[in-house]
Amino acid sequence: MAQTIVLITGANQGIGFEVAKQILESHKTYYILLGSRDPERGAQAAAELDPTSASVEPITIDVTDDASIERAAEQVASKHGRLDVLINNAGINNEIDIALARMKRQKEGITEEPTMPLAELRKLYREAYEVNVFGAAAVTEAFIPLLEKTAALPPRIVFVSSHTGSMGVRSDPSQEMYPRQHKAIGPVYRSSKAAFNMLMLHYAALFEDKGGKVNASCPNLTATNFARGMGGRPVSESAVNIVRLATLAEGGETGTYSDENGPVPW
Ligand SMILES: NC(=O)c1ccc[n+]([C@@H]2O[C@H](COP(=O)([O-])OP(=O)(O)OC[C@H]3O[C@@H](n4cnc5c(N)ncnc54)[C@H](OP(=O)(O)O)[C@@H]3O)[C@@H](O)[C@H]2O)c1
């Protein structure tokens, strides 16, 4: 049986690494291209998952660097000739320290907020959007020709999104997460994930006629380096829905935004 080739960006740690692990455990014919922007960290993570290299191959890909993305696509083209599943997982939250400081002030009843210089604000937005939005768009575009050569399967693309990007969760008081999510915290990261969701819908429409399955998954707060001590659930739980979407069968859904409990409001 032909192997199913899966590329996961930012898979040297955290949720991406766990997704690779769970796919390998549950799908014996899957082959993981373990994306990492740092070659050494990528090689280490790949060896940890599969010391024999039979089912995992590290691939260097920095989603903010077009030359790196193109090199990765060429590497996959020359070695495998196709891609079956792309998981846009690489992501950053560069305003966590700001959010934590704001939450602390709110707890202490301090209502006055320091003003951020506009240049600093723009820098934050640019950095976050470079990875979370422009990076995912560039990676997806670069791999479309290879996804179109998928073997026997509908191609699948998973966007690792976030409840924090949901306008519904944020604005509808009947939503369980509303008390936490409606707060005025994290505009940079949250708007980037809202844009990311629209990007996902674009690619879902693009692949509609070809039977492609393109979906977004919300991991929920997860105890990775990303969460910087804010707590969160284990990666083993957060990876489950991503793995499900990455391994969808032909009749599976497309153009959805979900977690393991079902659809998440847009
Ligand atoms: N953890 C949460 O609470 C949570 C909640 C909702 C959604 N998410 C989403 O889940 C995804 C994975 O997050 P995580 O919690 O696993 O975070 P993580 O442990 O910090 O892992 C993030 C991964 O992205 C990589 N990355 C960062 N910038 C990159 C770039 N320019 N090019 C390529 N890779 C890059 C990191 O590489 P390095 O190791 O080199 O830094 C790392 O491998 C993200 O999209 C995040 O937005 C996380």
Side-chain angles (χ1 to χ4, degrees), residues 9-16 35-38 41 61-64 88-92 131-132 160-163 189 193 196 218-227 235:
T9 62
N12 54 288
Q13 63 165 318
I15 295 169
S36 173
R37 61 179 161 169
D38 180 279
R41 285 201 291 266
I61 181 164
D62 180 334
V63 305
T64 63
N88 283 314
N89 167 74
I92 60 164
V131 180
N132 299 351
V160 180
S161 186
S162 170
H163 293 98
Y189 176 70
K193 286 297 188 184
F196 185 75
C218 301
N220 214 332
L221 184 62
T222 309
T224 61
N225 279 338
F226 175 99
V235 285

Side-chain angles (χ1 to χ4, degrees), residues 6-57:
V6 184
L7 169 63
I8 312 172
T9 62
N12 54 288
Q13 63 165 318
I15 295 169
F17 181 81
E18 176 67 18
V19 168
K21 184 167 163 257
Q22 290 191 13
I23 289 178
L24 290 173
E25 282 165 2
S26 57
H27 292 77
K28 299 297 172 209
T29 59
Y30 278 50
Y31 184 92
I32 304 289
L33 299 167
L34 188 142
S36 173
R37 61 179 161 169
D38 180 279
E40 268 178 39
R41 285 201 291 266
Q44 258 173 25
E48 195 181 319
L49 276 182
D50 179 7
T52 71
S53 311
S55 54
V56 183
E57 173 187 338

